[in-house]
Amino acid sequence: MKISDQSYSRCLWAFTARSTANFAFALSITLSLQKSGVSDHLIAAGYAWMPLATLLLDIPMGVFADRFSYKSAVLAAVVCELAALILLLMTPFAHGL
């Protein structure tokens, strides 16, 4: 299967946009958590859990998509990602900062 230049260009553009948005979001969260007094170790631990959760949920979400639907799997993934980000944002409040 050959990928067209236009399709490749769109994928590259989407990857670049998503990577830039993720970097900007991570930087803003890190700076706000540091300003709130959260230790660097705790921030790093929060970021370390995200790829670990991705690895642990990758295969089960594939099975979920096969059993139900792709749309349901994407919706569940978005809900899980939002829950993880909310937990990360609540870190300073959980420690009374």
Side-chain angles (χ1 to χ4, degrees), residues 12-43:
L12 188 59
W13 172 250
F15 173 77
T16 304
R18 178 73 189 242
S19 297
T20 304
N22 285 342
F23 177 75
F25 179 77
L27 183 63
S28 66
I29 292 297
T30 301
L31 292 175
S32 77
L33 289 174
Q34 285 176 339
K35 187 177 178 182
S36 299
V38 178
S39 73
D40 292 337
H41 297 292
L42 190 58
I43 295 169

Side-chain angles (χ1 to χ4, degrees), residues 3-21:
I3 299 175
S4 70
D5 288 339
Q6 184 181 13
S7 176
Y8 177 76
S9 177
R10 266 189 266 158
C11 288
L12 188 59
W13 172 250
F15 173 77
T16 304
R18 178 73 189 242
S19 297
T20 304

Side-chain angles (χ1 to χ4, degrees), residues 74-96:
V74 170
L75 181 62
V78 168
V79 169
C80 288
E81 186 174 1
L82 287 175
L85 291 174
I86 288 169
L87 288 174
L88 182 64
L89 290 171
M90 289 175 51
T91 301
F93 305 111
H95 294 282

Side-chain angles (χ1 to χ4, degrees), residues 39 49 55:
S39 73
W49 278 102
L55 287 173

